[in-house]
Amino acid sequence: MNINVTVCGLVALATSLTSGCQQLKSSNLAVGNSSTNTVKIFSSLPLTGSSAVQTQSIVNGIKQAIAQESTVCNHKLKIEYEVNDNASAASGALDDSAQVSAHANKAVADSSVVAFIGPYSSGAAKLVVPVLNQANLLIVSPASTYPGLTKQGLGESREPSIYYPTGKRNYARVVPTDDIQGKVAANWAKSLGVKKVYILDDQSLYGKGLANVFEATAKELGLQVLGREGIDSRASNYRALMTKIRATQPDLVYFGGPTQSNASQVVKDMRDVGMTKELVKFMGPDGIFDRAFVDGASTAAEGVYATFGGVSPRELTGVGKTWYESYKQKFNQEPEAYAAYGYEAAMVVLNGVNQVCKNDRVAIKNAVLGTKNFSGVLGKWSFDSNGDTTLTKMSGNFVKNGRWQFVSVLQANYK
């Protein structure tokens, strides 16, 4: 999907436009056309399939930021926004690799593009970052959390340098990384009285990485790890696996992976074989912290726990609360968990554009990566030398009466 809406200086993908501006019809954007007074924000996210509600809320957040920041460079720049869907109904992939690669090349070829927001998954980020790096094109992710994209020693041997062929960074993210989340999750499990845990993952970069950190931390904390397995995320059911796990008598089943890796079916089969919420807890990461998981699991979702890199939108305070109320009014719905991160990603990009005030990829990239003490809806934060946010606050959440509810803020500074 491509959207091109121009407003006197900024794209306002909103229901109301500032006076004197004209909304253009949606159309495919011409590649390679640009002028020094035009800059474009390009996003690539999986907007079809089970992730659609979550990712559409990210797009809504981006639109909201662009519509509100109507004074960037005192209207000297025309800012355009292009939305792309990188999901594939044919492959069933969360982020289809062919689509992801095509979008990366498309963004590079369009010289008006100065910032790329996305992708959703860390696996897709591995494909996008090196392509954009060679073009000095900034990428700001609202959701990809794999540590190896930015941090040495927390991934494979050549990471993260393999993603930056120019030797200079171009990737940043406004969400905390999985090494923090996995550690927080294990500590939270212990605080909930868990002593014995069985660990599953979806064998993806995201899910396996989280499960690795959770397992290592659990062992450090003295929790007994009864077993560890990678699942086939396309299996029709997991009853045999759950029967096997039930025999080990765990207090908790931890699942590393998103909703799109059949997490709802995993918990349904867990409950069906007799591991009720009263007997065995189920915990997952931010990847299951969405409406799609609850809808898919139905009543089996009751009592499920999830960690999240921050707090849910309704728990935000100050500027964040103002944003939350504005989002509900504008889109007539509750924002999903990552809506605020889409908004924050767009705002920090716009802040960089406002410093440069011209179509200059390198200057805008440097301005954004140099962000310090940014006061946003998530709080006051900076990008560190790796391009990671300095925010480390996490939250614990669980499902009650068919909806996710906030439990508590979780500390991320464990030794």
Side-chain angles (χ1 to χ4, degrees):
M1 177 173 66
N2 297 319
I3 299 176
N4 180 8
V5 183
T6 304
V7 190
C8 305
L10 281 177
V11 170
L13 293 162
T15 54
S16 62
L17 302 174
T18 46
S19 60
C21 302
Q22 180 180 9
Q23 183 176 7
L24 304 180
K25 295 181 179 179
S26 296
S27 63
N28 289 333
L29 296 168
V31 174
N33 295 329
S34 73
S35 64
T36 55
N37 69 334
T38 299
V39 296
K40 185 186 298 179
I41 295 173
F42 185 107
S43 69
S44 177
L45 299 159
L47 297 172
T48 53
S50 58
S51 66
V53 174
Q54 182 74 270
T55 51
Q56 184 58 55
S57 75
I58 294 175
V59 170
N60 288 347
I62 297 169
K63 294 176 181 179
Q64 188 182 14
I66 293 173
Q68 289 177 357
E69 287 297 296
S70 58
T71 58
V72 168
C73 298
N74 295 318
H75 305 295
K76 293 177 182 178
L77 288 180
K78 180 173 67 174
I79 297 188
E80 299 175 345
Y81 176 39
E82 179 176 334
V83 185
N84 294 271
D85 182 2
N86 65 30
S88 170
S91 71
L94 179 63
D95 291 290
D96 182 74
S97 59
Q99 291 276 49
V100 167
S101 296
H103 291 164
N105 288 320
K106 183 181 180 184
V108 168
D110 187 344
S111 57
S112 65
V113 174
V114 297
F116 184 111
I117 296 180
Y120 188 60
S121 73
S122 297
K126 289 180 71 172
L127 299 175
V128 171
V129 176
V131 176
L132 272 55
N133 182 260
Q134 294 181 80
N136 286 309
L137 182 54
L138 171 72
I139 175 170
V140 180
S141 176
S144 54
T145 51
Y146 173 60
L149 291 165
T150 56
K151 299 178 180 181
Q152 191 170 10
L154 293 175
E156 297 175 3
S157 60
R158 297 178 63 195
E159 292 177 338
S161 60
I162 192 173
Y163 305 119
Y164 306 99
T166 67
K168 297 180 179 180
R169 297 294 181 101
N170 66 311
Y171 171 80
R173 48 186 159 198
V174 295
V175 59
T177 52
D178 292 336
D179 54 310
I180 299 171
Q181 185 173 188
K183 186 173 288 189
V184 164
N187 276 272
W188 189 30
K190 183 177 181 179
S191 75
L192 293 171
V194 170
K195 296 180 179 179
K196 298 181 295 181
V197 59
Y198 203 102
I199 302 171
L200 301 174
D201 70 75
D202 66 350
Q203 304 187 68
S204 71
L205 190 70
Y206 166 76
K208 188 175 180 180
L210 270 164
N212 287 345
V213 176
F214 181 93
E215 180 178 8
T217 308
K219 290 177 178 178
E220 289 174 4
L221 294 172
L223 302 184
Q224 183 181 359
V225 177
L226 301 170
R228 166 80 184 271
E229 291 192 42
I231 69 162
D232 175 1
S233 61
R234 296 191 180 186
S236 60
N237 70 80
Y238 304 94
R239 286 190 290 272
L241 173 61
M242 289 303 159
T243 299
K244 172 186 170 182
I245 293 173
R246 183 187 63 188
T248 68
Q249 299 184 316
D251 301 319
L252 169 76
V253 173
Y254 181 82
F255 178 72
T259 298
Q260 292 70 34
S261 289
N262 228 357
S264 297
Q265 189 63 46
V266 170
V267 75
K268 283 199 295 185
D269 289 336
M270 174 181 167
R271 300 308 187 204
D272 284 346
V273 302
M275 288 190 283
T276 65
K277 68 178 187 294
E278 291 80 13
L279 295 174
V280 185
K281 296 176 175 64
F282 183 92
M283 182 184 290
D286 56 334
I288 70 167
F289 187 48
D290 58 17
R291 195 166 71 210
F293 172 80
V294 177
D295 290 346
S298 188
T299 56
E302 286 293 303
V304 166
Y305 295 85
T307 51
F308 177 65
V311 297
S312 64
R314 71 176 67 91
E315 301 297 329
L316 292 170
T317 59
V319 176
K321 182 174 178 59
T322 301
W323 165 81
Y324 169 71
E325 296 297 340
S326 174
Y327 184 101
K328 288 197 300 179
Q329 182 177 11
K330 187 177 186 65
F331 299 105
N332 195 31
Q333 61 185 352
E334 282 280 326
E336 287 287 305
Y338 278 101
Y341 292 83
Y343 179 88
E344 198 86 323
M347 288 296 288
V348 76
V349 167
L350 291 170
N351 184 60
V353 171
N354 199 34
Q355 293 177 49
V356 176
C357 286
K358 62 180 178 179
N359 183 340
D360 186 329
R361 282 182 176 178
V362 175
I364 290 172
K365 179 195 71 172
N366 292 339
V368 174
L369 293 180
T371 297
K372 301 296 179 187
N373 299 317
F374 184 79
S375 295
V377 297
L378 304 176
K380 180 172 282 190
W381 58 272
S382 305
F383 282 133
D384 66 16
S385 60
N386 292 321
D388 289 319
T389 175
T390 55
L391 289 176
T392 58
K393 181 169 68 174
M394 298 264 168
S395 65
N397 307 272
F398 81 124
V399 179
K400 183 177 180 181
N401 298 325
R403 62 177 288 184
W404 286 109
Q405 298 194 20
F406 171 76
V407 177
S408 64
V409 171
L410 303 175
Q411 297 298 320
N413 58 343
Y414 297 109
K415 300 298 184 183

